Amino acid sequence: MWYLIKNNLKLMFRNKIIFATMVFGPFFVVGILSSAFEELMKSYEPVEEFQAGYQIEKGSLWEGSIETIKEAGREAGIKLSEYPEGEPEELVRNNILAGFVKLGTDKYTVYENVDNETEGVALEYFFSQCLKEISSQVIYQEAPITASGTLKVPVEEIDYMPAVNSKDYYGIIEIVYFSCMGIICMAGVLASEKKNGIGIKFQITALTDLQFYTAKWLPAVLVVAAEMGISAVLSAVVYGIHWGNLFISALLILLVIMAGISYGLMLYSVSGNMAVTVIILFSSVFFMAFLGGCFETYMYSAFSEDLKNISPIYHANRALVENSCMGHSEYTLSSILYLFAISAACTCTTLLAGWAVKRGRKRG
C-alpha cells in the first residue's frame, strides 16, 4: 500500500498544469469576484455607537419584540429612537440620523444617509438578522399571541455579525469551492490505473479493497491540501485575507478536501469514466456552491434559510466567514458533522461498488 501511495503522489505532482491551476485558480477568482462585489460588501471601521430612527405600524409583528431589538441594537452599537410621525427622508436630514427603519406589518424599509454609508450597511444587515430570527420563530410557532391579538415574538438574542469585506469573504469562499474539485488531481492516476489494469492486478495480492482505496484517497488529500495551503497563503499575502482562528479554519478546509475527494472517487467508482465523473462533479458542486454563496454572498441571498442549509458548502462557508469576522460560529459543529458524514457515506459506497464489480467478474 505504501508503494502505491508513493507512486500516486509522484504521478500527481508530475502534472504541473493541474497543480498550477489548483494553486492559482482560487487566487485569480478571488481577485475578480472581490472587485465585482466590493461596493455591495463595502467594509467599515467599527464605530462605538451611531443614532438611527424607526417608525412602527400598529399591529406590526415587530411590536412585541421592539424593546428586545433596541437592546440588541445598543449591544451592536446602534442606538434606535422612535419617531412616530414624519417622512423618513426628512427625519434623517433634520435629526442628523445615520439611518432610518420603517417597520411595516409584514416588511421593513431601510433609509440610509448618504454621508453615513458604513452605518447604513450595519443597520441594513442588523435588521435582516432580526427579521430572520422573527420569521423562524413565527414559522415554528414559538411566538405566542397576546390577548390583544398582537404577535409577541420573544427574541432572546440576535446574533449580530459585523460587515465582512469582499476580499476576506471571497478569499475564504473560493478556497472551499476549489477544495471540492480535488478529484481532478487524480485524473492522471486514474487514467494510468485503468490503462494498465492496476486494479485487476492487485486483486491477486493481499491488498484489501480498503487499502487500495486509501492508496488513492490519502495522496489526493495530501496534494490538494498542499495546493490549497499555498493558494491560501498567497492570497493572504497579496490580498490581506483574515482567516480568524487558524486551527478551526485549517480543520474545516481539510474536512472539505476529504469530503470532496471521497465524493469524487465515489462518482468515478460508479461511473467508471473520468469525463462523466468531472461533469457530474462540476454540476453538483456548482449547485451546492450557488446555494452556499460562492458566486453571490449568502448574506444577501434570496434563497430561504432551509434551502441553503441543504448545501454542505453553505455550512462550511458560513462557519469560516463567521470565524473570520466574529471568532466563532454556530455553524462550525454542523459543518464538521456534515463533512464527516459525506466522507463516510461516499467511502462506503465506493467500497461497495468495488465489491460489486469484483463479484460480477467472478460470476462472469
Side-chain angles (χ1 to χ4, degrees), residues 4-14 219-220 222-223:
L4 270 179
I5 290 174
K6 182 181 177 181
N7 187 62
N8 288 341
L9 278 170
K10 190 186 298 182
L11 285 172
M12 281 187 279
F13 278 117
R14 189 179 294 172
L222 293 175
V223 170

Side-chain angles (χ1 to χ4, degrees), residues 30-347:
V30 169
I32 295 169
L33 291 180
S34 63
S35 296
F37 287 90
E38 185 175 6
E39 285 301 314
L40 176 64
M41 301 182 64
K42 200 163 190 176
S43 64
Y44 62 91
E45 294 296 325
V47 291
E48 291 186 4
E49 190 174 75
F50 64 87
Q51 185 80 28
Y54 73 91
Q55 282 180 355
I56 185 166
E57 291 184 19
K58 190 175 181 180
S60 170
L61 61 81
W62 298 87
E63 280 187 330
S65 55
I66 190 63
E67 291 303 320
T68 308
I69 290 173
K70 287 169 70 174
E71 179 61 31
R74 279 192 288 272
E75 294 178 8
I78 305 172
K79 187 177 180 181
L80 292 165
S81 301
E82 185 176 7
Y83 293 83
E85 298 178 354
E87 291 299 319
E89 295 89 345
E90 292 182 7
L91 290 169
V92 169
R93 287 195 302 268
N94 298 336
N95 294 278
I96 319 176
L97 301 173
F100 196 93
V101 184
K102 194 169 184 178
L103 303 171
T105 54
D106 57 356
K107 65 179 181 178
Y108 70 95
T109 306
V110 177
Y111 298 84
E112 299 179 10
N113 189 328
V114 293
D115 296 324
N116 300 90
E117 290 184 7
T118 56
E119 288 83 354
V121 172
L123 187 65
E124 182 178 352
Y125 186 74
F126 175 76
F127 270 92
S128 73
Q129 292 299 94
C130 292
L131 183 61
K132 284 181 182 178
E133 182 69 21
I134 291 174
S135 299
S136 66
Q137 293 185 49
V138 171
I139 290 170
Y140 295 106
Q141 298 180 343
E142 296 177 11
I145 303 295
T146 64
S148 64
T150 301
L151 200 59
K152 183 181 174 72
V153 183
V155 182
E156 298 297 333
E157 180 182 351
I158 297 169
D159 191 10
Y160 172 74
M161 188 181 81
V164 56
N165 66 52
S166 59
K167 286 187 172 61
D168 280 351
Y169 182 87
Y170 285 107
I172 293 170
I173 296 300
E174 296 311 316
I175 292 293
V176 173
Y177 180 68
F178 277 80
S179 294
C180 297
M181 304 293 187
I183 193 63
I184 66 172
C185 296
M186 288 287 295
V189 173
L190 296 174
S192 175
E193 179 185 292
K194 190 171 185 178
K195 179 181 178 181
N196 299 307
I198 302 296
I200 297 174
K201 291 177 182 177
F202 271 93
Q203 288 180 12
I204 61 175
T205 68
L207 206 64
T208 65
D209 289 343
L210 180 59
Q211 289 175 320
F212 189 61
Y213 173 82
T214 304
K216 292 182 287 187
W217 181 85
L218 184 59
V221 169
L222 293 175
V223 170
V224 177
E227 293 166 342
M228 294 301 101
I230 295 170
S231 186
V233 171
L234 182 64
S235 298
V237 171
V238 176
Y239 299 126
I241 311 299
H242 301 94
W243 281 86
N245 187 311
L246 290 178
F247 174 76
I248 295 296
S249 297
L251 174 62
L252 288 173
I253 292 297
L254 180 60
L255 290 175
V256 171
I257 292 169
M258 291 165 60
I261 297 297
S262 300
Y263 179 57
L265 287 173
M266 181 198 72
L267 293 177
Y268 182 77
S269 69
V270 172
S271 67
N273 186 292
M274 193 61 195
V276 173
T277 298
V278 170
I279 292 171
I280 297 174
L281 176 72
F282 271 75
S283 301
S284 55
V285 171
F286 180 88
F287 174 74
M288 290 186 288
F290 191 75
L291 290 179
C294 287
F295 312 116
E296 65 169 356
T297 62
Y298 65 75
M299 291 171 284
Y300 297 101
S301 174
F303 294 113
S304 70
E305 201 71 15
D306 291 336
L307 185 59
K308 289 189 286 187
N309 276 319
I310 296 172
S311 169
I313 294 180
Y314 173 68
H315 287 255
N317 284 350
R318 184 155 180 177
L320 286 163
V321 171
E322 291 182 355
N323 174 57
S324 170
C325 67
M326 293 194 301
H328 64 87
S329 173
E330 63 180 14
Y331 279 79
T332 300
L333 181 59
S334 64
S335 61
I336 290 173
L337 295 176
Y338 212 156
L339 294 168
F340 262 126
I342 291 172
S343 296
C346 291
T347 296

